Amino acid sequence: MATNVPTGQTLIRAAVTRSRGSGFEIAELNIDCPRDHEVLVAIMASGLCHSDWDFANSDFGQTFPTVLGHEIAGVVQAVGPHVTQIAPGDHVVGCTVASCGACEHCMMGNRLHCLNPTVGSRRAGDPPRLSESGATVAQAFGLGGFADHAVIHESQLVAVDSAIPFDKAAVLGCSVATGGGVVLRSARVQPMESVVILGAGGVGLNAIQVSALVGARKVIAIDVDDSKLKLARTFGATHVVNSKSEDAVERISRITGGRGVDHAFEMSGLPGPLDQGMAMLGRHGTMYVVGLQHTGTTVDFPAAVGDGLTMRFEHAVRGVKMGSTNFKIDVPYYAELYMQGRLNLDDLVTDTISLDQINKGFARMHSGETAGRTVITFESKNTEKGSIV
């Protein structure tokens, strides 16, 4: 049964991307009430992710104008009809993965590859969730987190401990789920194995700390920014390498005694680190492509090196989406680790800003001024008394 559902449309404040490369413009939009299986969330925090920047500036087939933002935490204000998993007052984290919960993949715990992913979208003939002067505004990833409120399908939300600060909870849905997930779920890193993380940004830092948490023998962080490498040490990196100032492949060979690593995680989406990662693999090693690749990107690697070692050593390359996460299970797990003091989210969030500072926040991220995650906070606006319900 619907609970506290507002009628009609209400104005919200959002950062809108009008067209590719146009940046983010603060505007007032109309938000529709939650319908079947939908939830109205007061967004309290929304992280800035490189993927949002890529979708704002590159061609991935997205629709404009759009509200981006997918790393969110907030408070449920109302639920539409037939919602069973979320209740008003819940503190929730969002994820880009919409799933039906009933197909073969979902029933086997692999929600990431749901056979009915459009379950999170509205049906033909329904009004849009967001609009402006009668025209539809797209809600990217089904979340649209660069706004003070959002209507989201319940399959894309999970409740977490209300004691977790919102800016820390927000990063659980992408940065932690992806970086931690590629270690736990994609690679299933074991104690005494060695790993290299190419790119020590928000996602990379989580791969580093979860690798350390599971007992990896060597956790090697590679980046071109010394401030990020310094932070990587805080998250459990046993070795750090600045690939701008030294030969990273040769250094990894020395660190591993010529054996190479069991797992290489490429986080940047750039071709150079992919080539380096392949060259760093040991026998039976696997390269995991985590960073977002642009449309049309191809990856080349040699079928044989020298006496045919690439194939003889059973090297592999694996694409990874969202850390292979089953986020309904994984996010509460990571939240529990944080509450136990075993997962570092406090040092992961290195900067908090207002919605009005979003363009500056992305500029700082790209200039390297921000080592960890920048998070937009709405807490001063979205108190319970300021609810739009």
Side-chain angles (χ1 to χ4, degrees), residues 94-108:
C95 183
T96 62
V97 180
S99 55
C100 68
C103 71
E104 180 181 356
H105 285 296
C106 286
M107 294 292 282
M108 294 178 69

Side-chain angles (χ1 to χ4, degrees), residues 126-138:
D126 284 345
R129 290 171 180 161
L130 298 176
S131 61
E132 183 180 38
S133 301
T136 298
V137 177

Side-chain angles (χ1 to χ4, degrees), residues 353-367:
I353 61 174
S354 69
L355 183 65
D356 297 280
Q357 297 172 307
I358 185 170
N359 287 297
K360 182 182 290 186
F362 273 114
R364 284 171 55 85
M365 180 181 73
H366 280 278
S367 69

Side-chain angles (χ1 to χ4, degrees), residues 20-59:
R20 188 163 65 248
S22 66
F24 300 88
E25 176 190 324
I26 307 304
E28 285 193 335
L29 304 179
N30 292 104
I31 187 170
D32 194 36
C33 60
R35 297 175 185 269
D36 285 356
H37 298 286
E38 291 182 340
V39 178
L40 174 65
V41 180
I43 305 293
M44 307 300 280
S46 184
L48 303 192
C49 180
H50 281 274
S51 297
D52 290 307
W53 179 260
D54 287 337
F55 270 76
N57 292 280
S58 301
D59 184 9

